[in-house]
Amino acid sequence: MEAGEAKSKKAGGECFYEVFEEEIHQVIVGNRLFKSGERVAIGASGGKDSTVLAYVLSELNRRHNYGLDLFLLSVDEGITGYRDDSLETVKRNEVQYGLPLQIVSYKDLYGWTMDEIVKMIGLKNNCTFCGVFRRQALDRGAALLKVDKLVTGHNADDIAETVLLNILRGDIARLSRCTSITTGEDGPIPRCKPFKYTYEKEIVMYAYFKKLDYFSTECIYSPNAYRGFAREFIKDLERPRPRAILDIIKSGEDFRIATTTKMPEQGTCERCGYISSQKWCKACVLLEGLNRGLPKMGIGRPRGSGNDQKDTKARSTAKSIESKQCGSLDF
Ligand code: SF4
């Protein structure tokens, strides 16, 4: 009897794994996320989402002969007691999954760690600096690895929260692209989200039952406020309407921007050459502020950055970046 119970439990678990992996495979194939021979970096923070993504993607790559060269790419923000510990997890994943690992650090790229930045600016706006720097750091790491694409572990819950947050902030530019499964095709490296339709609870269950090695502590500098409210709100909606998350994503996909809405024009930063709708990219503006001991320079109106002639546009960009926080997100 006991043996039979154990067998049926095992069968149930196997069934869940199969369905979970098959759904991801269908999303990858249905959206033509990859081409054979491509080099693909997996944004790896050591958290559950990116760990499951690294594990599942390497399994599917073998099983279905995608023909991909996979790599792990991590960003070291320089947060003592958080990122140093989570990077140890990624280093173990490198060995466990046999995927080469590239780490890029804020200290090497920008000359500042997040610990040093927080010491200067305190715990307000720290995620603004961190989010802007991370975006570029990932692109620079991807360039070092010479990859064709970058995949991140953003799941359905994350995307639904982001849709709501962008509506609440009136951030039309982000709203129009936050539900796309692939973004940045006009930028340095396209980014894909194979977990776009995968619920967070499925990822947690998969990681737990597969006994994957992941890191679950939250960032010590996480304010987690606004996104936390959106998260709770969606949890409340899910009780009477379990498919609320997918419905919000669908609504985000179906939004259309009026042709009269003025959108930022993409160009390149005059200082570092990174993609930017301003004379200087946001990372260069923030960095200039830090180096001059004026850290608020890049937070509000970017005076002194040479952008004054584009004041209105700059204000709207600053506003949208100011509100970008990762909270407990992987990337
Ligand atoms: Fe950076 Fe995220 Fe921590 Fe904010 S919560 S400081 S964005 S790692």
Side-chain angles (χ1 to χ4, degrees), residues 11 17 29 66 73 95 102 139 175 179 209 271 276 278 324:
Y17 302 148
V29 174
Y66 289 166
L73 172 58
V95 178
Q102 171 80 51
D139 281 338
L175 179 60
T179 54
F209 287 115
R271 210 180 201 202
S276 173
Q278 306 293 319
K324 186 174 162 55

Side-chain angles (χ1 to χ4, degrees), residues 184-196:
E185 283 158 304
D186 52 346
I189 311 276
R191 294 173 181 227
C192 309
K193 299 182 274 247
F195 286 169
K196 178 182 167 183

Side-chain angles (χ1 to χ4, degrees), residues 77 79 82-83 114 126-127 130-131 134 219 221-223 326-327:
E77 298 94 342
I79 302 176
Y82 168 64
R83 187 55 84 213
M114 275 311 293
N126 54 303
C127 293
C130 195
R134 181 184 298 112
C219 173
Y221 301 140
S222 169
C326 86

Side-chain angles (χ1 to χ4, degrees), residues 77-224:
E77 298 94 342
I79 302 176
T80 311
Y82 168 64
R83 187 55 84 213
D84 44 358
D85 290 343
S86 66
L87 282 176
E88 289 308 311
T89 311
V90 184
K91 287 177 193 165
R92 290 196 300 274
N93 293 158
E94 175 187 20
V95 178
Q96 290 156 350
Y97 309 152
L99 301 175
L101 167 65
Q102 171 80 51
I103 301 176
V104 284
S105 77
Y106 285 5
K107 188 69 178 174
D108 289 344
L109 293 176
Y110 310 112
W112 291 79
T113 64
M114 275 311 293
D115 286 337
E116 291 164 345
I117 293 173
V118 166
K119 211 175 268 175
M120 178 183 263
I121 67 164
L123 282 173
K124 198 164 173 248
N125 296 317
N126 54 303
C127 293
T128 302
F129 285 83
C130 195
V132 171
F133 287 168
R134 181 184 298 112
R135 180 154 197 90
Q136 277 206 18
L138 280 170
D139 281 338
R140 295 205 197 179
L144 283 176
L145 285 169
K146 297 187 172 55
V147 290
D148 302 288
K149 272 174 195 147
L150 172 65
V151 291
T152 59
H154 292 106
N155 59 48
D157 300 49
D158 299 330
I159 296 169
E161 285 163 23
T162 306
V163 170
L164 275 189
L165 289 173
N166 284 332
I167 292 171
L168 294 172
R169 292 164 178 155
D171 192 336
I172 301 302
R174 285 185 195 281
L175 179 60
S176 67
R177 60 175 186 261
C178 71
T179 54
S180 305
I181 195 158
T182 301
T183 52
E185 283 158 304
D186 52 346
I189 311 276
R191 294 173 181 227
C192 309
K193 299 182 274 247
F195 286 169
K196 178 182 167 183
Y197 300 108
T198 310
Y199 290 120
E200 186 175 78
K201 42 178 129 27
E202 296 175 293
I203 294 171
V204 173
M205 267 174 62
Y206 188 90
Y208 178 79
F209 287 115
K210 280 273 184 183
K211 297 189 171 51
L212 299 187
D213 185 4
Y214 66 95
F215 183 80
S216 52
T217 306
E218 247 186 47
C219 173
I220 53 170
Y221 301 140
S222 169
N224 226 358

Side-chain angles (χ1 to χ4, degrees), residues 243-275:
R243 51 167 302 126
I245 286 179
L246 294 182
D247 288 345
I248 295 170
I249 295 176
K250 176 86 173 65
S251 302
E253 286 170 340
D254 289 346
F255 271 115
R256 293 287 172 273
I257 300 176
T259 47
T260 48
T261 306
K262 203 164 184 297
M263 300 294 279
E265 284 161 30
Q266 293 293 10
T268 47
C269 171
E270 280 185 10
R271 210 180 201 202
C272 72
Y274 191 73
I275 184 167

